[in-house]
Amino acid sequence: MQKQREIIKSGEKVQKKLIFSDFVIPFLAFIIFIVLTIFVYIPMITETVELNDDTKNVISKQEQMKTLQVKIDELDGTQLYEDYQIIDQVIPTRLEVADFVYFVDELAKDKGLKLNEIRASNSDITSEDSSLDMSTVSGPLSYEGNYTDVLSFLEDLQKSSPYIVSVNSIDLSNISGKRWSFDITINGYYLSESVSNVDPYQTFVPYTNFNNLVEMLRNRSKLLD
């Protein structure tokens, strides 16, 4: 019984010794820990994560560049230059209205067609692909002649044109018997001279994968010789 009283008195003494100042240091330490966590530890962790992401991104781009270099090395440099020259002829950076109209009119004369009217001008093409800055020589032309000659002209316009052309509209009307008149709108395409930025990290597809298109361009270039 005496020992229990002594233990109780000892506990009372301990409780009496715990005053407010005893909590100041732990409280300040806790505040300092919170401040360090917010302003030091969390930013350090965030920066480390971002640094890891940047490192992975750099490594990924390095792998892309290595793959691109391999694909480029596989191309025949001499053939590449020759094909570039061909494309530059067939899809020039400038197509004069007079040159294009002269080609169309000469073809029409060869087919025995009579010219009624020619109106042509340069215009730009709006494309969803910003990397393609295309323009056209576009113009309505009016001719008349036999129906078979008209069909022959339209067929050879696509086959014998050294340029990339498209027919937008045709309006045929019979004059008398086998004599027909027709109004046609033709576009001749060329690349604008502005230089577009090239993203080296885009998926690279060698032009040699499109053999049919390349062969078609080579054949058209022969018409300019």
Side-chain angles (χ1 to χ4, degrees):
M1 190 71 178
Q2 182 67 26
K3 290 183 178 180
Q4 290 181 350
R5 290 177 181 177
E6 290 177 356
I7 292 171
I8 292 172
K9 289 181 180 180
S10 176
E12 290 177 352
K13 290 179 181 179
V14 170
Q15 290 180 356
K16 289 179 181 179
K17 290 180 180 178
L18 294 175
I19 59 177
F20 176 76
S21 59
D22 295 329
F23 296 96
V24 172
I25 293 177
F27 179 75
L28 291 177
F30 178 74
I31 294 297
I32 292 172
F33 174 75
I34 295 296
V35 171
L36 288 174
T37 300
I38 295 174
F39 295 101
V40 179
Y41 300 142
I42 292 179
M44 285 178 62
I45 294 171
T46 303
E47 186 177 350
T48 301
V49 171
E50 291 177 351
L51 184 60
N52 287 335
D53 290 339
D54 290 342
T55 302
K56 291 179 181 178
N57 188 38
V58 170
I59 293 173
S60 174
K61 288 185 176 182
Q62 286 177 338
E63 293 300 321
Q64 284 180 282
M65 294 304 294
K66 289 178 182 178
T67 302
L68 176 62
Q69 185 64 52
V70 170
K71 291 182 178 180
I72 291 176
D73 290 340
E74 290 175 350
L75 296 175
D76 184 334
T78 302
Q79 187 63 55
L80 175 62
Y81 177 76
E82 292 177 357
D83 289 337
Y84 171 78
Q85 295 294 103
I86 288 173
I87 293 173
D88 191 47
Q89 284 182 307
V90 177
I91 312 178
T93 55
R94 184 66 188 172
L95 180 58
E96 296 297 334
V97 174
D99 293 338
F100 181 70
V101 170
Y102 175 79
F103 159 75
V104 175
D105 192 47
E106 285 296 306
L107 179 60
K109 288 179 181 178
D110 290 342
K111 300 300 179 180
L113 301 179
K114 178 185 175 183
L115 173 66
N116 289 333
E117 182 185 12
I118 288 181
R119 287 183 290 116
S121 61
N122 294 93
S123 61
D124 295 327
I125 297 175
T126 301
S127 172
E128 293 181 358
D129 186 348
S130 60
S131 65
L132 294 177
D133 197 1
M134 296 285 290
S135 297
T136 66
V137 171
S138 178
L141 301 93
S142 179
Y143 288 95
E144 64 177 71
N146 292 333
Y147 186 71
T148 54
D149 294 336
V150 172
L151 293 181
S152 180
F153 166 77
L154 294 176
E155 182 179 358
D156 284 1
L157 181 62
Q158 295 289 342
K159 290 182 179 180
S160 62
S161 171
Y163 309 109
I164 303 299
V165 300
S166 67
V167 177
N168 283 2
S169 63
I170 303 175
D171 184 15
L172 278 168
S173 60
N174 183 254
I175 299 175
S176 62
K178 295 182 179 181
R179 198 75 179 170
W180 290 72
S181 69
F182 71 99
D183 297 325
I184 182 172
T185 301
I186 304 174
N187 286 339
Y189 296 89
Y190 63 94
L191 293 170
S192 298
E193 296 183 66
S194 59
V195 178
S196 301
N197 293 326
V198 178
D199 183 1
Y201 301 108
Q202 286 184 336
T203 302
F204 176 76
V205 180
Y207 79 99
T208 50
N209 286 10
F210 307 95
N211 289 326
N212 293 337
L213 176 59
V214 173
E215 191 61 32
M216 182 270 289
L217 293 173
R218 289 171 182 167
N219 291 334
R220 286 185 182 272
S221 71
K222 296 175 182 177
L223 299 173
L224 291 169
D225 295 336

